[in-house]
Amino acid sequence: MENHQMSSYDFKVSNNSFLEVKKGDILRTPNKESSSKKSGKKEIKKQHRYVFQTRSHVDILDDGYRWRKYGEKAVKNNKFPRSYYRCSYRGCNVKKQIQRQSMDEQVVVTTYEGVHIHPVEKSTESFDQILRNFQSTTMSMSMSMSNPIMYLQQPN
DNA sequence: CGCATTTGACCCGCGC
DNA sequence: GCGCGGGTCAAATGCG
């Protein structure tokens, strides 16, 4: 269908759904570098941002970390609300937002923001494996391509 | 009883 | 300056 470059990975998931992973662009601080204004308030800038586009009927994907939901807001162009999660570990400011596409109810966009400062609590069956694979691949890809897109799908 | 979720209010940046 | 869209807070509630 799409004319994107796609790499196929086999991904074992408990469900019968296949995963379609899309790498978002790494957004860093634009022109503003938080010079003055409120000092000691929000020093945290967006460092890493991974955008996962998952095709599944469940929005909650267990990646091994414990998340605490802290908000939910509806976005303008989508009929489904967006959920905001945060890592429960103290000091770990990793955020995560989950949004379902209105066009395709099955498509769930998961956005990770930041890096964890602690190891994974639970042993994820395959998600952390795919995550690892995904990260290493996209890192090398992002250097050459500005818009790396990957598709992961599970064969039945 | 401790922790996660819920949900409306609040807040902030931006465009008009 | 105000309204809007998006992000976060926090009190109440729920649940194991």
Side-chain angles (χ1 to χ4, degrees):
Chain A
M1 295 177 153
E2 310 288 335
N3 46 5
H4 298 134
Q5 305 273 8
M6 37 182 98
S7 313
S8 57
Y9 297 89
D10 41 353
F11 174 39
K12 315 284 199 244
V13 73
S14 325
N15 314 358
N16 244 359
S17 53
F18 78 93
L19 285 187
E20 176 185 22
V21 176
K22 173 184 181 182
K23 170 65 167 62
D25 125 68
I26 301 147
L27 90 91
R28 40 180 186 263
T29 41
N31 305 342
K32 298 183 177 178
E33 283 239 340
S34 82
S35 42
S36 44
K37 299 238 165 134
K38 290 146 190 173
S39 56
K41 199 72 177 188
K42 285 188 177 179
E43 288 270 334
I44 305 164
K45 304 150 195 168
K46 292 130 191 181
Q47 299 177 347
H48 302 320
R49 178 178 269 192
Y50 307 102
V51 181
F52 275 64
Q53 190 166 333
T54 323
R55 185 174 276 268
S56 169
H57 61 282
V58 278
D59 356 3
I60 308 296
L61 289 157
D62 192 20
D63 48 2
Y65 293 99
R66 174 175 260 100
W67 301 96
R68 165 185 127 253
K69 190 176 187 177
Y70 69 92
E72 180 176 287
K73 207 57 194 290
V75 279
K76 194 67 169 91
N77 272 338
N78 289 336
K79 52 184 284 191
F80 298 110
R82 175 186 294 167
S83 303
Y84 300 93
Y85 293 89
R86 200 176 244 174
C87 187
S88 300
Y89 193 90
R90 201 205 84 88
C92 190
N93 292 323
V94 180
K95 284 179 280 191
K96 168 194 194 180
Q97 57 181 238
I98 295 180
Q99 182 186 2
R100 209 184 298 190
Q101 296 284 101
S102 57
M103 49 179 74
D104 288 322
E105 188 185 332
Q106 302 177 337
V107 176
V108 178
V109 181
T110 308
T111 307
Y112 288 90
E113 213 171 274
V115 284
H116 293 277
I117 62 171
H118 60 100
V120 193
E121 305 174 348
K122 302 161 63 176
S123 61
T124 331
E125 302 152 9
S126 52
F127 203 91
D128 104 275
Q129 182 176 347
I130 191 186
L131 204 38
R132 196 167 306 155
N133 195 358
F134 169 71
Q135 285 185 7
S136 57
T137 316
T138 49
M139 263 186 212
S140 54
M141 284 183 73
S142 60
M143 293 186 177
S144 50
M145 309 179 76
S146 56
N147 190 20
I149 296 177
M150 266 182 255
Y151 294 91
L152 288 101
Q153 52 187 10
Q154 145 175 351
N156 267 356

